[in-house]
Each structure stands twice: as structure tokens, then as C-alpha cells.
Amino acid sequence: MIFDFEMIKTFYAALPDKIEKARGVIQRPLCLSEKLLYSHLLESNISKPLQRGVDYTEFTPDRVAMQDATAQMALLQFMMAGKDTTAVPSSVHCDHLIMAKEGNVTDLAVANVTNKEVYAFLSSVCNKYDIGFWKPGAGIIHQIVLENYAFPGGMMIGTDSHTPNAGGLGMIAIGVGGADAVDVMSGMGWELKFPKLIGIKLSGKLNGWASPKDIILKVAGILTVKGGTGCIVEYFGEGATSLSCTGKATICNMGAEIGATCSVFAYDNAMGKYLRATGREDVAVLADLNKLHLQSDAEVYATPEKYYDQVIEINLDELEPYINGPFTPDLATPISKMKEEAVKNGWPLKIEVGLIGSCTNSSYEDISRAASVVNDAVEKKLSVKSEYTITPGSEQIRAIAERDGYFETFKKIGGKIFANACGSCIGQWSRAGAEKAEVNTIVHSFNRNFAKRADGNPNTYAFVASPEIVTALAIAGDLRFNPLTDKLVNNDGVEVKLAEPKGYDLPPQGFGKVDNGYQKSSGDKDGVNVIIAPGSDRLQYLTSFEEWDGNDFKNLPLLIKAKGKCTTDHISMAGVWLKYRGHLENISNNYMIGAVNAFNDKTNSIINQLNGTYDTVPSVAKAYKNAGLGLIVVGEENFGEGSSREHAAMEPRFLNVKTVLVKSFARIHETNLKKQGILALTFANKDDYNKIEEGDNISVLGLKEFAEGKALQLEIFHKNGTTEKIMASHTYNNAQIEWFKNGGALNLIRKNNNK
């Protein structure tokens, strides 16, 4: 089945003319990203090139995808927008709420009971508004999109930061907050600052233990978690064409870990093969006809430094496997150096668990290569030293992996098969003993490894590697093991060396046909009622946030000054809190509980200026709110890094946070704050962060003259009676200032719809 084929046909029919029009304006050869961005402009009649990293513009994405945790709030907002149906094809995927504990069958059955009311709500909303609904167990959003929806040259947005996974099929796919999704589903343009472009030239070809995962792990080490912010990353070169489609998707998926807007590969034969293998030959035919339009112009590839803002070259012939971590995905260590680094840094050497799968590495190629390592270990009579888990990315992958005998192979070493869901990758892992907070090491093929993310234990050292390296390390049970050079002693006391992994980019017997868990809308909009149980503690109708009252923000008490890394996991934790993603009041009880207070180096312990005592962040925030006070939050660099979860912006809005002042923002979080009507500011002088003291009150001045490109003045009132003034910068344009004035973008949408 090909979804939305008429839309795809219409897109390809118009693509050549749109690109030629863009070429006429820009007057030079075009990069792939430029072709795709300009072909999706809301207003196509432009007279001059858009400035990268400067100009805001609006786009018309072809589709929207939402996962169940973020979809709840996105759809609750969409219901307030006053629309009868979505303006573009949209889908919801139930992948985040399934807890990994006993195994796929039991865990899915439990999820269908514990999350029954959420699934019923999502199913009913999708049915009413003609949105595609993928049931629990169908698979992870990004794998489902790759298998069913992605098409070369298209543009989509998704309410998950790893939406760029679809770049592996040549699509501009960008992670956003739910309010952005509401804009697009409501028929409005989607705003983005025109991205800068990073070109990564891949030469040579992967060999041995090296995999596509190692490319992005190396790139993360080069660019760091913020080096790709505001940029699209384009991969090209002979090395790029040598990669499988799903290998490309792995690389694009983890582009989120460098802060990139998205990543993309040009259309090639590997993508055509994947489209045909997944039943979309008609799409492949159209892409083949448009192949020149789905890649950069030849001049760009010949002299890339003339066309990209930054160029990085990687020789795949020389690339060795990487292991990134702990606690951050950009701490990149080549495997040949891991023993030295692990010992030097005192990292726990014994590996307790190896975990493969997730949206990043759950393709047939990943499963087959990992299985080859396991099979080799069994044949060589090796005993496995660590626990081992496998998380398939979709029911399609699970079914054929079982059909082809890979699960039986994994079970020979005690492998546990989890449900087709996010599970342990996002903290939905009921790990036995995690509550003891013991120091330990795990290795996984997921994308992120922030503290507490996998199992809630702050003392779990999590390392990221490819599925085949994770498997080898789990067999050895030792972080220092290098399968390229080291040997292991088997059950007979003989030293043996693991063979290099081998696998298939596509299943030799084909994907076959499985019950993929898709629910099509009934088409009976009037006969469908949205299901929210009265008194539910998991779902709650939204009410509108108040508009700006036209005055400066005076004497805002400092809620918390966050120290160091403050991701969306710190701001609004996942794990057990996922159950409240549809209930704004309840989930606001986790606001900033993972952030480190700069004044005492503790989490969830801040001063309450009303009584001088220390309490939790949510408790203090609610006390201020109940006293009629607006609040200010202060943070450091790349504030809001990580997941796209807009709850990290809706919770402070609910708790009456008026301003968030930081050294720098991660892209999605900054946009989410703006969308919800919170003033997102950055220190004009980053050293002014040091001027903020415990017990401060801060005023934001000049809001009546709030304008694009004009800094705002802040006055700090210290508890010793002294004051000082600093300047704060912002990136608001005129349209975003209207979001602020109207109390959020949704209020503006509703006003426009009611005209």
C-alpha cells in the first residue's frame, strides 16, 4: 500500500519548475537542501535569495507525524484550533508509552491495559479528524515513517526530535514541537530560519566492523552537541552512495545529537531499492525520473567549499568503530583508544547490559549483522558475560527477523526481545535494581545517553555504539574489549577471535506481508466523539493561556538558576512521567526537577523567597503562581538540548514562568517557548550569567517597544538591596512577537480561524 500517492505525484510533477524558478533567483548551482527548501516555500514568488541563518521564512510541509507522548498535547491543541480535518496528511504512532520489562508479548499486553484511556483518546481523535493511527506494537514512529511515508524530496515535520531519520530516504524531515504541528495541520505555513548548510563528504567504503553508526558517532565528536544548530547536514560522495538506505537513516537520525535542523542524503540506487522492497515501486519510478533534481548540482560536488558554510571530509576506508559517552553523545572515542580512556577516567569496566534496537538502529541490516556476531560467538563456544536485549523498530522488522531465525539466534545467548517501541531508549525500561542507584556500565545502540535517561539511575554510565559493537562488548562483558584486535577465552579454555559481522541491507526473502497495526479513519466525523474520561489524571482539556497585558515584567522572582547541561530530560523528564503527557497540570509537577541548582549543586532543591525555605522546583513555582507572581528561569549553553517535547515549554507557561534567560538555546526548545508565549532571551554578555544571585528578582524592561533586532534591558534586584542592569538579546521576528503579545501561537491561530 502506498500512502498519499496522489500528493506525491503532484509534488514530483511540480518539482522541476520550482527548482528552475529557485535557480533563476539564486543565480548559481544549488545544493540539494536548497532545492528542497525552495520547492516547499509557502510564498514561491521570491525576488532575492534567502540568507542562511538570517531570514525567517514559511514552508509548506507535505505531512506531519506525531508519537503518542507528544501527540496528546498536540492534538489537544489542534482541537482548540477550530478545524474539521487536517490540512496535510498526518499520523500518530503509539510507541513511547510501552514499558520494557518482561518481553514483547507481556509488555504490550500490559501497555494496552495501563494506557487504555490514552490509546482510546488518540484513536478517537485520529478517527474524527482523518489522521492515520498506528496502534501499540506497530512500531517506532521513525521506522514506520521510513517504511511507509517518507519519499525522496519531500518535506515533513514530526513531534519528535529524531524525525530527521527520514533523511535516509532523501527527505527534509525536521523535529518540532506540537504547536508547530498544529500550525501545519491547521493549514498555516510553518516558520523556520533558513538553515545554514554543512556538507560532509564521505570517501571510500566501510569495511570490517565499521558501520554507518560510526560515521555519525565520529561526526558528533567533531561538531559536538551544538555544532549543527541552525544547520542542515548534507552527506555526499562515493562513500554516501555505498551506504544502505537504512544506514543513511541511522546517520540522519542521530543528527539530532549535534543539534542539526536535519540531515539528508541525495536520492540514489540504495533508496530506490528500499522503496521497491517496501512496496513503493511507483514512488521509486517517479524519483528515478527526478533523480537530477534530488541531488546537488554537479558543480557543488566538484567544489563543495564554495557552496556549503562548512565542509567536513571523512574517509570510510580508514574509519574505525566508535564508542561515545558516557553521559553525552558527543564524547567520541575510537575503539582503539577506549581501553586507555576507560582506565584513565575511572569508568566502570564491567558491562552489565548490552541493548540493541531503537529508532536509530533497528533495521534488518542492523539485526542481521548483530545476529552474525552472536552466531559466531555461539559456534566458538563463548559464554556471554552481560545481559542482552533487542528492541525491533517495527512489526514489519520483528516479523521478518523472527521468520529468518534471528531471534532464535539471540535467545541462544539469553537475549530478551522487547516490544516494537521506544522502551529503554527513552527511559521506559523497568530495569531490576535500578532504584539502588549502583554505579554500573551499559552499552547500547540508541542515540542519547544523558544521565538517568535509560533506567533512571544517575550512576549508570551509558555508552553509544553500533549494534554489532554493542553485541561484541556484551559477549566480552568488558568495556576495554576491542573485537578488531582482542581475543576471548571460550568454554574449552581456547583463545578465539570474533569474526567480522556480516549482514544484508534488505531481507533476501523480501519483507512479506504482516498485520502492521494501521487503523484507517472511518470517515464518519460527525459520528465520532473524542474520548476523555471525566476526572482523568492522564488527560485534561486545555484552556487558553492569557494574553500579554501590555506591561513590563516587574520583579520576577528567580525560580532556578540552572547549572551546566540542562536538556529537555532535565526540564521535563520522561520515564514514569510519560503517563501524564496529556495532562498539563499533572505533568507540571516534574518541571525542572532534574536541573542542577547553581547555588547548592543539588537537583530539585531551590529557595522559596516567600518563606525562606528550600523546596522542590514545582512546589516553589506553584507557591509563586498562587501568590500572583510571574517567574524567571536562568540557564547556560544549549538550554533545552535533546527531545522536541513541548511539555518543557508548556509546563513553565502553566506555572506562570514569564521569561527564560540563558546563554544559548537549542533550536526546538527556543521555538517551543516562543510558541507558548514565554519570552525566550539570551544574555547579551554571557558573563552576566554570573551576576544572577540566589534570591534575586528581575524585571524585563521595554516590552512596549519589543521589536525585531532590538535588545531588551533587564534590571536585577539583589536581596542585599543593590541593583544592576544588563542587556538581553532575542531572535524574535515580527510574527513571533505577535505570538508573545497574543499569549501564544495557538491563540493567534484560533483568532484567525474565527474571523
Side-chain angles (χ1 to χ4, degrees), residues 342-464:
V343 172
K344 181 178 71 175
N345 290 291
W347 297 332
L349 301 178
K350 181 185 177 185
I351 296 171
E352 301 293 339
V353 191
L355 309 97
I356 69 167
S358 86
C359 66
T360 318
N361 279 106
S362 58
S363 67
Y364 189 85
E365 182 175 33
D366 293 325
I367 297 291
S368 63
R369 281 174 65 87
S372 79
V373 177
V374 172
N375 192 57
D376 184 56
V378 171
E379 290 181 353
K380 290 175 176 171
K381 300 181 180 180
L382 288 168
S383 295
V384 178
K385 302 298 192 298
S386 308
E387 293 181 37
Y388 187 65
T389 73
I390 305 94
T391 303
S394 68
E395 178 58 18
Q396 184 82 64
I397 293 298
R398 189 211 62 79
I400 60 173
E402 184 173 50
R403 177 200 69 189
D404 295 348
Y406 294 134
F407 288 170
E408 284 304 311
T409 297
F410 292 139
K411 288 175 183 177
K412 290 177 182 177
I413 65 167
K416 180 182 287 187
I417 313 300
F418 283 143
N420 315 319
C422 299
S424 40
C425 180
I426 62 163
Q428 286 287 76
W429 180 22
S430 182
R431 183 184 180 188
E435 72 282 355
K436 298 177 184 177
E438 295 175 343
V439 176
N440 76 106
T441 283
I442 65 173
V443 291
H444 59 61
S445 67
F446 309 156
N447 38 52
R448 292 188 178 134
N449 56 346
F450 303 139
K452 297 186 178 183
R453 182 172 173 89
D455 61 3
N457 178 2
N459 296 315
T460 292
Y461 286 61
F463 295 85
V464 184

Side-chain angles (χ1 to χ4, degrees), residues 209 320-321 335-339 469 472 480-488 495-500:
W209 285 88
E320 63 177 302
I335 198 166
S336 62
K337 302 290 186 184
M338 193 61 189
K339 178 178 180 180
I469 291 296
R480 295 167 295 185
F481 177 64
N482 180 356
L484 284 71
T485 59
D486 299 347
K487 293 181 178 180
L488 297 171
E495 285 191 340
V496 295
K497 191 169 183 287
L498 289 173
E500 293 176 352

Side-chain angles (χ1 to χ4, degrees), residues 138-177:
I140 305 173
I141 176 173
H142 313 302
Q143 183 71 20
I144 295 295
V145 166
L146 197 71
E147 292 174 358
N148 296 276
Y149 293 127
F151 65 94
M155 172 184 275
M156 68 171 286
I157 61 171
T159 61
D160 190 280
S161 56
H162 292 100
T163 299
N165 190 82
L169 204 39
M171 198 171 198
I172 293 286
I174 302 174
V176 300

Side-chain angles (χ1 to χ4, degrees), residues 127-396:
N127 200 0
K128 187 172 186 67
Y129 293 102
D130 196 20
I131 298 169
F133 180 70
W134 293 80
K135 301 174 185 176
I140 305 173
I141 176 173
H142 313 302
Q143 183 71 20
I144 295 295
V145 166
L146 197 71
E147 292 174 358
N148 296 276
Y149 293 127
F151 65 94
M155 172 184 275
M156 68 171 286
I157 61 171
T159 61
D160 190 280
S161 56
H162 292 100
T163 299
N165 190 82
L169 204 39
M171 198 171 198
I172 293 286
I174 302 174
V176 300
D180 281 343
V182 173
D183 284 356
V184 175
M185 290 191 294
S186 299
M188 297 176 63
W190 173 63
E191 186 183 66
L192 179 73
K193 183 181 288 187
F194 202 83
K196 293 184 177 181
L197 301 181
I198 297 175
I200 299 185
K201 181 178 181 180
L202 304 178
S203 60
K205 188 175 182 179
L206 293 170
N207 60 85
W209 285 88
S211 74
K213 180 72 162 234
D214 299 305
I215 297 173
I216 186 58
L217 293 179
K218 180 178 178 68
V219 169
I222 295 170
L223 290 175
T224 77
V225 291
K226 58 181 294 187
T229 302
C231 301
I232 291 179
V233 180
E234 278 190 29
Y235 293 85
F236 62 94
E238 60 175 343
T241 57
S242 71
L243 302 174
S244 67
C245 178
T246 52
K248 293 177 172 71
T250 289
I251 294 168
C252 293
N253 179 296
M254 268 198 74
E257 273 52 74
I258 58 173
T261 301
C262 67
S263 303
V264 69
F265 284 81
Y267 178 70
D268 60 14
N269 292 336
M271 295 184 194
K273 282 175 57 181
Y274 186 78
L275 285 169
R276 290 177 169 87
T278 51
R280 293 173 285 173
E281 182 169 357
D282 289 347
V283 177
V285 169
L286 293 175
D288 288 340
L289 293 172
N290 286 275
K291 190 169 185 178
L292 287 177
H293 302 306
L294 300 174
Q295 61 187 28
S296 296
D297 290 337
E299 297 90 337
V300 174
Y301 294 144
T303 54
E305 62 279 355
K306 291 176 58 178
Y307 302 99
Y308 295 104
D309 298 287
Q310 181 180 356
V311 177
I312 297 169
E313 295 191 29
I314 299 175
N315 184 347
L316 302 188
D317 290 335
E318 301 171 354
L319 184 67
E320 63 177 302
Y322 272 74
I323 302 174
N324 286 25
F327 304 126
T328 184
D330 61 344
L331 182 55
T333 304
I335 198 166
S336 62
K337 302 290 186 184
M338 193 61 189
K339 178 178 180 180
E340 175 186 340
E341 289 298 310
V343 172
K344 181 178 71 175
N345 290 291
W347 297 332
L349 301 178
K350 181 185 177 185
I351 296 171
E352 301 293 339
V353 191
L355 309 97
I356 69 167
S358 86
C359 66
T360 318
N361 279 106
S362 58
S363 67
Y364 189 85
E365 182 175 33
D366 293 325
I367 297 291
S368 63
R369 281 174 65 87
S372 79
V373 177
V374 172
N375 192 57
D376 184 56
V378 171
E379 290 181 353
K380 290 175 176 171
K381 300 181 180 180
L382 288 168
S383 295
V384 178
K385 302 298 192 298
S386 308
E387 293 181 37
Y388 187 65
T389 73
I390 305 94
T391 303
S394 68
E395 178 58 18
Q396 184 82 64

